[in-house]
Amino acid sequence: MTIPLDTLTIPDHIHGYPELAFGGYVAGMLAARSAAPTVRVDFRRAVGIATPVLLAAEDGHARLTAPDGTLLVEAAPAVLDIDVPPTPSWAEAKTATETALSSPHRKVSDCYGCGVACAPGRGVRLFAWAVPERRVLTAAWTPDPGLAAENGELTTESVWSALDCPGGLAAWIYSGMAPGAFTAALTATQFQPIHAGAEYISHAWPISGEGRKHTVGVALSTPEGELCAVAEALWIEPRIAQPDASWT
C-alpha cells in the first residue's frame, strides 16, 4: 500500500553544515515511515533546510524527493551485522564529554548533532571524545525532553540523530578522515525505547577505510551497558579538501 506524499520542510535549526539538513534527522524521518525493524538510508542528493520536499512510503520503503521529482534520499529494510565493542563505563563517558567541552581544538558550532551552541531541546547536544588507549570514543548523554514525544520517548528522528555525528568524529580521529565529509548511508536498529531525562552512553568506533570512504559504528547504551540502538554509517570525504568545514 502506498502512503500519499507529504510535503514538508526541515526547520532551519536542524542542520549539520550550514543550509543543509542534518543527515541523522532526515534518515530518522524515513526510518519512521518505513517501520521496518532495521533500515538502511542512502543519501543521493543534499537536502536543504527550509525548502519543501516530498516524503512517501510503500511496503517498508520510503523516499524523499524534491518537488521536481529528483530523488534525494531513500530507505529500505535491511540487515545489520556489526560487532559492537564493549561499552565504556559511565565514568569514562563523563570524562570524555568533559574533555570534549573543554578541548581548545573543538570549534563552537550549532550543528544539530554535536553543536554546543544549540540550546537544550534545539539540538541533540551529544559531545563525544576519545577513550584513552582504545580505538573508541564515547559520550555521556541525557536527552532533553524537547527531543521526545508526549510519552517521554525519543522520536525516531532524535534517536537516529544521536547515531550520526559520533561516527564521523570516530572516522576523523582514528581514520584520518578529511574535514567536510558527509554521511552517505546510515543503517540502524533500535532495541528498546530511549527516554528523555535518562542517562545513556554513546560510543563510536572505526570499522574500515578505503580512499575517500570510511565505515564506522555507533551505539547507544544504558549506563549498565545494555544496548538500546546501534548503527553502521558510511561517510565520504569531499573530492576537494575543505579545511574549514570540520564539525568539531
Side-chain angles (χ1 to χ4, degrees):
M1 178 180 177
T2 301
I3 299 176
L5 291 170
D6 289 337
T7 301
L8 52 88
T9 60
I10 309 298
D12 292 23
H13 70 283
I14 303 179
H15 66 84
Y17 296 124
E19 306 302 321
L20 297 180
F22 187 71
Y25 184 92
V26 173
M29 285 197 322
L30 271 69
R33 293 295 290 266
S34 164
T38 302
V39 179
R40 176 181 171 118
V41 178
D42 286 279
F43 292 83
R44 305 304 184 189
R45 299 285 191 280
V47 180
I49 54 173
T51 301
V53 290
L54 304 175
L55 175 60
E58 180 181 10
D59 298 330
H61 295 253
R63 66 184 185 277
L64 195 69
T65 59
D68 66 0
T70 300
L71 179 63
L72 303 175
V73 189
E74 58 184 342
V79 175
L80 182 57
D81 183 12
I82 186 172
D83 293 324
V84 180
T87 303
S89 68
W90 180 250
E92 288 175 317
K94 286 187 67 177
T95 297
T97 290
E98 291 167 358
T99 300
L101 290 172
S102 63
S103 172
H105 303 295
R106 187 182 187 91
K107 294 181 180 179
V108 175
S109 81
D110 59 353
C111 170
Y112 185 75
C114 62
V116 70
C118 294
R122 298 278 290 180
V124 177
R125 293 177 56 83
L126 203 161
F127 312 122
W129 207 250
V131 177
E133 300 181 1
R134 290 182 61 185
R135 285 175 60 83
V136 170
L137 59 83
T138 189
W141 186 47
T142 303
D144 186 271
L147 303 174
E150 291 183 359
N151 63 0
E153 294 180 8
L154 262 62
T155 63
T156 305
E157 292 88 341
S158 294
V159 174
W160 281 61
S161 292
L163 295 170
D164 193 0
C165 279
L169 188 58
W172 178 58
I173 291 176
Y174 299 114
S175 301
M177 186 171 72
F182 54 89
T183 309
L186 185 60
T187 305
T189 188
Q190 185 174 344
F191 304 112
Q192 58 178 285
I194 296 174
H195 299 274
E199 295 177 338
Y200 295 95
I201 296 172
S202 166
H203 70 296
W205 59 97
I207 296 175
S208 64
E210 181 179 355
R212 296 167 49 232
K213 298 180 179 182
H214 300 265
T215 302
V216 296
V218 183
L220 286 171
S221 307
T222 66
E224 294 74 33
E226 184 177 2
L227 277 176
C228 300
V230 65
E232 181 178 286
L234 171 64
W235 284 71
I236 297 182
E237 298 175 3
R239 294 184 183 278
I240 300 174
Q242 302 180 41
D244 296 324
S246 174
W247 55 88
T248 60

